[in-house]
Amino acid sequence: MSTPQHVESPCISICELDGETGLCRGCWRTRDEIAMWARADAETRLAILEKLRERRAQAGGGRRRETRRRRNQT
């Protein structure tokens, strides 16, 4: 399977870092992952997305919340 050229950001415009975990409450990324996203290649972005899935699963979270912006894109 080939790596896609474009990997959409997991940001859902709920940008608030949790004081205990250091993770964004909206997208589950760390401050470093957020900062590097714009310059990361597709392979790195996919690796970050996989980490986010694992974090949500470990925290007992289900699917990501969906914003109106994302709903209107489909």
Side-chain angles (χ1 to χ4, degrees):
M1 181 169 85
S2 65
T3 303
Q5 293 291 322
H6 174 75
V7 179
E8 187 177 341
S9 170
C11 179
I12 59 171
S13 299
I14 300 174
C15 306
E16 183 181 327
L17 292 176
D18 182 280
E20 286 185 34
T21 65
L23 299 174
C24 175
R25 294 175 194 250
C27 68
W28 293 78
R29 290 182 290 175
T30 65
R31 182 183 307 268
D32 290 340
E33 290 167 343
I34 293 166
M36 72 180 291
W37 187 267
R39 66 183 184 278
D41 61 19
E43 187 174 325
T44 301
R45 289 178 175 190
L46 290 173
I48 291 171
L49 291 177
E50 183 58 33
K51 288 179 189 176
L52 304 183
R53 285 184 203 97
E54 292 170 8
R55 288 176 190 150
R56 280 195 307 272
Q58 287 177 354
R63 293 185 49 197
R64 272 191 328 148
R65 289 182 280 180
E66 188 175 275
T67 64
R68 277 177 278 180
R69 179 178 58 108
R70 281 195 183 275
R71 224 180 352 255
N72 292 335
Q73 288 179 349
T74 56

